[in-house]
Amino acid sequence: MTTTPATTRVCFQLLVRPELLDEYIARHTPVWPEMLAEIAAAGRRNYSLFLGDGGRLIGYYETDDDAAAQAYLAASPVAARWEAEMGRFFLGLEGRPDQAATPLTEVFNLEAQLASAGGSTSSTSESDAS
């Protein structure tokens, strides 16, 4: 019998220097193809960044083994180059952005609560969603 690894959801926060917001956005439109490949090879998926007022940046990704994903990226020359260039965009950050971001604590997850309540998202019909 094989078991499927549990998906870990990771959310983090950084603060982008307000005077560099436009450049930060431009640097992510698009990200280097080799960096995208390294993120995927590390095992991170469903990765998104959200930018709020005042440069508040919220990141989210899923992985089966966050420690292994972080170790992979820490050893990656491509990720090291990318993070060296990205470091100047952030306020109050000690170290590489991918390793020094402030993690956020998950306090609610719809899927987990539905599962523990005996329901599932697939049981909701389109008419129920309106």
Side-chain angles (χ1 to χ4, degrees), residues 11-14 57 59 93-104:
C11 188
F12 60 89
Q13 178 175 302
L14 292 163
L57 184 78
L93 190 65
E94 298 293 326
R96 282 175 46 165
D98 66 337
Q99 298 168 0
T102 302
L104 302 175

Side-chain angles (χ1 to χ4, degrees), residues 38-39 41-44 61 63-75 98:
E38 285 294 80
I39 293 168
R44 289 182 178 175
Y61 62 87
T63 184
D64 295 330
D65 185 342
D66 195 39
Q70 287 194 26
Y72 180 93
L73 291 170
D98 66 337

Side-chain angles (χ1 to χ4, degrees), residues 2 5 19-21 26-29 42 51 56 70 79 89 99 102-103 108 112 117 120 125 127-128:
T2 60
E19 68 274 15
L20 298 178
L21 284 172
R27 293 295 303 271
H28 286 79
T29 316
L51 191 58
R56 184 170 46 115
Q70 287 194 26
F89 288 97
Q99 298 168 0
T102 302
F108 170 80
S120 74
S125 70
S127 62
D128 292 340

Side-chain angles (χ1 to χ4, degrees), residues 5-10 45 60-66:
T7 297
T8 300
R9 294 176 298 276
V10 178
R45 60 189 178 278
Y60 173 86
Y61 62 87
E62 296 168 353
T63 184
D64 295 330
D65 185 342
D66 195 39

Side-chain angles (χ1 to χ4, degrees), residues 22-117:
D22 290 340
E23 185 181 351
Y24 180 82
I25 293 167
R27 293 295 303 271
H28 286 79
T29 316
V31 169
W32 304 339
E34 60 270 28
M35 185 60 201
L36 297 173
E38 285 294 80
I39 293 168
R44 289 182 178 175
R45 60 189 178 278
N46 199 19
Y47 198 146
S48 296
L49 296 173
F50 302 89
L51 191 58
D53 291 340
R56 184 170 46 115
L57 184 78
I58 303 295
Y60 173 86
Y61 62 87
E62 296 168 353
T63 184
D64 295 330
D65 185 342
D66 195 39
Q70 287 194 26
Y72 180 93
L73 291 170
S76 165
V78 172
R81 278 194 344 264
W82 176 262
E83 297 300 335
E85 291 193 23
M86 291 295 107
R88 71 184 185 86
F89 288 97
F90 301 104
L91 290 168
L93 190 65
E94 298 293 326
R96 282 175 46 165
D98 66 337
Q99 298 168 0
T102 302
L104 302 175
T105 302
E106 183 175 28
V107 296
F108 170 80
N109 178 269
L110 176 62
E111 298 293 327
Q113 289 201 17
L114 284 171
S116 69

